[in-house]
């Protein structure tokens, strides 16, 4: 924020340097497994009370038993004294059985299912090749009130990468919303102004998550001064007008938008490679980035709804009871997190951010 803007706010008696909000949740997290899980989990757990855990492991989490086992591994990887609660998801394939979906939901093994169009992104090759063919599964989910979480990108390689979200919305999402009129749908990591409008138009049973990085980078950032692999994710960042629309959406106070960081760690060796993996590791700086956006937009009073209320209400889970403090206090961000013999580069790592995470009360 510029000095002039700060001065204007101060003059209007508006500058707020510290907010205490209900503890937030992250409705879209990739925690991976093994050494990577152990390395990245502490960062998400320091910021969020709960996380909706993406199932795109190798092999993916497609069965109830697999989700229960993965949940146990996450719980075991938590640092001592940390109360982070993982909310699991099921990875949909062409072979998913409606009974298995319902079993996991009714037993509390998972809270939602993730729909990856086959091949759309990292470990999405077991995903769904025929979305209309998923009707029996989606009908069952509609009946039991279980949300489907959608990676909304067309997979036809002939579609321009910057148009993949728009094409998916027209060709697949709108028809799906029509076919399944009562299905709860989360459009994950919204990146365009048009998708924001679609979510709003279906807000009675649709919602959208928005990542921290899509609020602060646009597609030009990926090429600023050279190719920046650590800013490459899917869906890829779009033009500036879309970034501005996303900032408007999150700060609007509308209940259909909430946090989904899409924190997606990859080893430096996989990012700085001939073929760079998609994913931004935003888990260590998510809240600092989000709150900075709300501050810059003059909407700090709306941050709690976006961070800690809208998502829980949409999923029909109770709100967290504890609190977290966010304060205007500059703090340097670590550049990278060590994982085995390599490391994961942190989004905004090495920078000094104006906001910091303060005290957490459970
Ligand atoms: O950039 C991404 N990375 N987008 C996704 O949808 C998946 C994720 C990952 O798992 O790395
Ligand atoms: Zn993701």
């Amino acid at each position: 924020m510029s000095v002039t803007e700060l001065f204007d706010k101060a003059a209007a008696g508006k500058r707020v340097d510290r907010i205490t909000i209900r503890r937030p949740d992250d409705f879209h997290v990739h925690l991976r497994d093994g050494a990577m899980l152990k390395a990245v989990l502490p960062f998400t757990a320091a910021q969020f009370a709960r996380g909706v855990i993406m199932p795109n492991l190798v092999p993916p989490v497609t069965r109830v038993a697999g989700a229960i086992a993965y949940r146990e591994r996450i719980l075991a990887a938590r640092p001592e004294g940390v109360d982070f609660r993982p909310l699991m998801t099921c990875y949909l394939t062409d072979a998913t059985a409606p009974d298995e979906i319902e079993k996991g939901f009714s037993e509390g093994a998972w809270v939602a299912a993730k729909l990856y169009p086959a091949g759309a992104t990292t470990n999405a090759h077991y995903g769904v090749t025929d979305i209309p063919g998923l009707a029996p599964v989606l009908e069952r989910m509609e009946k039991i009130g279980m949300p489907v979480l959608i990676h909304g990108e067309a997979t036809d390689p002939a579609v321009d990468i910057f148009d993949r979200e728009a094409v998916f919305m027209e060709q697949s999402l709108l028809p799906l919303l029509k076919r399944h009129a009562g299905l709860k749908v989360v459009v994950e990591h919204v990146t365009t102004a048009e998708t924001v409008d679609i979510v709003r138009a279906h807000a009675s049973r649709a919602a959208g998550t928005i990542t921290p990085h899509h609020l602060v980078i646009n597609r030009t950032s990926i090429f600023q001064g050279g190719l920046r692999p650590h800013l490459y994710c899917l869906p890829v960042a779009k033009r500036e007008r879309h970034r501005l629309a996303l900032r408007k959406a999150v700060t609007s106070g509308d209940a259909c938008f909430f946090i989904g960081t899409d924190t997606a760690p990859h080893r430096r060796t996989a990012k700085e490679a001939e073929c760079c993996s998609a994913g931004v590791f935003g888990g260590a700086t998510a809240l600092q980035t989000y709150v900075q956006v709300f501050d810059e937009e003059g909407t700090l009073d709306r941050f709690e709804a976006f961070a800690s209320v809208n998502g829980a209400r949409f999923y029909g889970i109770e709100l967290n009871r504890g609190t977290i403090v966010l304060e205007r206090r500059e703090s340097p961000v670590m550049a990278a997190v060590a994982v085995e013999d390599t490391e994961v580069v942190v989004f905004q790592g090495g920078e000094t951010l104006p906001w910091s995470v303060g005290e957490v009360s459970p």
Side-chain angles (χ1 to χ4, degrees):
M1 181 182 293
S2 73
V3 174
T4 337
E5 279 174 276
L6 273 180
F7 180 79
D8 285 346
K9 284 197 166 182
K14 275 197 202 146
R15 179 173 150 153
V16 175
D17 290 330
R18 181 187 157 93
I19 59 172
T20 303
I21 60 166
R22 197 182 278 281
R23 283 180 76 193
D25 300 308
D26 184 350
F27 286 90
H28 187 132
V29 193
H30 298 270
L31 289 181
R32 317 298 192 206
D33 218 338
M36 182 67 93
L37 167 63
K38 190 103 187 127
V40 299
L41 174 60
F43 296 95
T44 291
Q47 304 216 332
F48 298 102
R50 296 173 294 200
V52 169
I53 312 301
M54 290 300 121
N56 60 334
L57 303 182
V58 187
V61 180
T62 56
R63 307 293 298 267
V64 176
I68 292 171
Y70 184 29
R71 182 169 181 278
E72 288 304 316
R73 297 199 295 281
I74 295 170
L75 292 175
R78 292 183 307 184
E80 187 83 20
V82 165
D83 63 355
F84 178 77
R85 280 201 287 148
L87 305 173
M88 310 309 290
T89 60
C90 169
Y91 182 115
L92 297 175
T93 71
D94 290 335
T96 302
D99 286 348
E100 182 78 2
I101 284 287
E102 179 164 359
K103 179 172 184 279
F105 189 65
S106 61
E107 289 175 1
W110 48 48
V111 298
K114 180 74 187 269
L115 195 175
Y116 289 105
T121 186
T122 307
N123 301 334
H125 40 279
Y126 297 100
V128 177
T129 63
D130 170 26
I131 296 178
L134 206 60
V137 169
L138 298 179
E139 280 162 17
R140 184 70 66 87
M141 291 175 66
E142 184 170 344
K143 191 167 147 217
I144 62 179
M146 177 176 169
V148 63
L149 319 179
I150 301 185
H151 182 109
E153 285 194 288
T155 52
D156 177 349
V159 176
D160 188 282
I161 189 161
F162 294 102
D163 296 335
R164 285 184 187 171
E165 181 168 313
V167 169
F168 182 89
M169 295 304 143
E170 291 303 319
Q171 291 185 348
S172 303
L173 186 81
L174 288 171
L176 181 149
L177 288 167
K178 214 172 200 172
R179 285 195 303 273
H180 303 281
L183 180 64
K184 287 167 84 170
V185 173
V186 182
V187 183
E188 299 291 342
H189 38 56
V190 172
T191 67
T192 76
E194 290 73 26
T195 308
V196 165
D197 292 342
I198 290 171
V199 168
R200 276 217 175 92
H202 296 83
S204 59
R205 48 68 176 245
T209 56
I210 298 182
T211 77
H213 44 285
H214 288 110
L215 296 171
V216 296
I217 66 165
N218 61 25
R219 67 186 202 174
T220 300
S221 315
I222 305 167
F223 304 96
Q224 204 66 258
L227 182 58
R228 300 189 174 266
H230 299 285
L231 299 184
Y232 170 62
C233 66
L234 289 171
V236 71
K238 307 297 192 297
R239 288 179 184 276
E240 179 66 358
R241 77 172 179 91
H242 296 292
R243 185 182 76 93
L244 297 177
L246 299 178
R247 288 172 73 102
K248 258 211 165 104
V250 299
T251 57
S252 65
D254 290 353
C256 57
F257 299 108
F258 47 83
I259 288 185
T261 66
D262 197 13
T263 179
H266 289 277
R267 288 166 166 77
R268 186 189 276 282
T269 42
K271 294 291 287 178
E272 298 171 9
E274 196 174 347
C275 187
C276 160
S277 299
V280 168
F281 175 55
T285 51
L287 284 180
Q288 298 92 311
T289 307
Y290 282 126
V291 73
Q292 184 182 344
V293 169
F294 277 73
D295 181 30
E296 288 167 354
E297 301 290 331
T299 55
L300 281 173
D301 55 322
R302 295 182 181 161
F303 186 55
E304 184 175 41
F306 174 73
S308 318
V309 177
N310 297 347
R313 292 242 165 93
F314 185 86
Y315 273 77
I317 56 180
E318 60 182 280
L319 302 185
N320 295 314
R321 290 211 192 82
T323 57
I324 189 167
V325 173
L326 297 155
E327 51 205 3
R328 192 189 304 278
R329 172 169 50 82
E330 285 195 347
S331 51
V333 177
M334 67 198 301
V337 174
V339 183
E340 294 175 320
D341 56 350
T342 175
E343 57 186 7
V344 177
V345 171
V346 174
F347 179 60
Q348 294 173 310
E351 292 178 31
T352 296
L353 296 179
W355 284 80
S356 301
V357 174
E359 194 189 338
V360 180
S361 315

